[in-house]
Amino acid sequence: MVVERSDVVVALTDGVVLLDVAGPVQVLHWAGRRVRFASPDGRPVRSDVGVPLGVEGTIEDFADSVDTLLVPGIGVEEAISQDLVRSVRAVAGVARRVASICTGAFVLAEAGLLDGRRATTHWMACTDLAQRFPEIEVDPDAIFVRDGTVITSAGVTAGIDLALALVEEDEGADVARSLAKYLVVFLRRPGGQSQFSVRTGVGTPRTSGLRRVIDAVVADPSADHSLAAMAARATVGERQLTRLFRKEIGTTPAQYVERVRVEAAQRLLQTSDDPVAPIARRCGFGSEETMRRVFGKVLGTSPTDYRARFRAPSPAAAL
């Protein structure tokens, strides 16, 4: 007997992020897929904002019909349910594909489904995912990542991007494009999630010389922050400074300086009326062309497009 697998099963637990559920489910429902809500014990759950969500059974009840297993994220204050991890692990083995939204990636990771794979999650949680599960290749910029039959997405609304990608895979680009237009969203949004991450913290370095370097870069991104200048400021050799950066910051000196300059430019593009060229000079890029090239590499978008999407309207413009 051939079992027809057609259900999208959404694995729910208490504290699930409501938008992680609602966005993808709306896309998949409009695409004609049958969506079933389930929990580890078959009981209703309560979302992170207190909205109760009914279920149709346990997650494992749908082992014979599941096509796509969808695992939304949970609120940051919630501990991951080990019952959920066990149920997801059991059903993932028979599903055609498994997808997570936002911090749902941690459930997949604990279930062992991301070992040796590329994955992503909300930009605020990428470092934690990489540190807790070093066998996962975490991509902090991707809106979603497909690695074989496992797909992970960035935070919250990125679940809509993921769902549209699933629809495009199953029904074709025309159907997915039509749904994107109806939802008033991009079929493929420009840029990655790094464009939403301003002032990503690096913690406080233990080494006093490295703290001096970090403080100097943040205080004046346009100053001379060559490797030689930073090493002199830290009173260590260039190789030693590079080792300290990698050990305590997790990046190279040049990459850190570039990140600080990008984030400084992001703030100015959002909050000032200054043209792009002066912002580029003020943030240490030297020229508008250099800043455009770095924005393209780091954020996947241009300074002008970034400003158009993220700049808050002035009070006068709102009248």
Side-chain angles (χ1 to χ4, degrees), residues 79-220:
I80 293 176
S81 162
Q82 291 306 305
D83 288 337
L84 175 64
V85 171
R86 284 190 289 272
S87 294
V88 165
R89 183 188 297 119
V91 176
V94 295
R96 177 167 66 96
R97 62 191 174 195
V98 181
S100 67
I101 299 98
C102 196
T103 55
F106 285 82
V107 177
L108 302 192
E110 291 212 12
L113 302 176
L114 298 181
D115 291 354
R117 297 183 187 271
R118 290 180 60 245
T120 194
T121 186
H122 193 292
W123 60 265
M124 292 182 67
C126 282
T127 299
D128 187 27
L129 183 66
Q131 290 176 344
R132 288 175 56 185
F133 303 96
E135 66 276 15
I136 301 172
E137 182 185 344
V138 178
D139 186 339
D141 188 47
I143 299 299
F144 62 87
V145 171
R146 172 186 290 280
D147 191 323
T149 59
V150 180
I151 310 101
T152 51
S153 86
V156 198
T157 61
I160 295 175
D161 299 75
L162 180 147
L164 286 169
L166 299 182
V167 171
E168 183 174 11
E169 177 182 323
D170 293 343
E171 310 294 339
D174 288 344
V175 173
R177 189 176 299 109
S178 177
L179 280 174
K181 288 173 65 177
Y182 191 74
L183 287 160
V184 198
V185 298
F186 291 106
L187 177 57
R188 297 181 185 82
R189 76 171 79 189
Q193 65 170 327
S194 292
Q195 62 189 300
F196 304 100
S197 165
V198 181
R199 298 305 300 159
T200 304
V202 296
T204 302
R206 296 187 300 274
T207 307
S208 60
L210 185 55
R211 289 198 298 272
R212 288 196 300 273
V213 170
I214 296 299
D215 291 343
V217 174
V218 172
D220 184 6

Side-chain angles (χ1 to χ4, degrees), residues 19-81:
L19 191 53
D20 282 9
V21 177
V25 164
Q26 193 70 67
V27 173
L28 295 166
H29 171 73
W30 279 340
R33 301 303 302 274
R34 184 170 66 172
V35 180
R36 318 293 290 270
F37 284 2
S39 65
D41 58 8
R43 296 178 181 178
V45 304
R46 190 169 293 274
S47 76
D48 64 323
V49 296
V51 175
L53 298 172
V55 302
E56 298 181 59
T58 71
I59 296 167
E60 293 178 65
D61 285 342
F62 296 98
D64 289 338
S65 64
V66 61
D67 172 76
T68 301
L69 180 63
L70 201 63
V71 184
I74 59 173
V76 293
E77 73 283 355
E78 301 285 344
I80 293 176
S81 162

Side-chain angles (χ1 to χ4, degrees), residues 262 265 269 274-297 301-305 307:
V262 166
L269 289 168
D274 295 344
V276 173
I279 289 176
R281 292 192 294 272
R282 192 182 313 169
C283 295
F285 292 104
S287 70
E288 181 177 350
E289 175 56 35
T290 298
M291 187 167 92
R292 184 181 300 110
R293 185 170 61 252
V294 173
F295 261 57
K297 179 183 71 173
T301 189
S302 70
T304 302
D305 287 345
R307 168 174 270 174

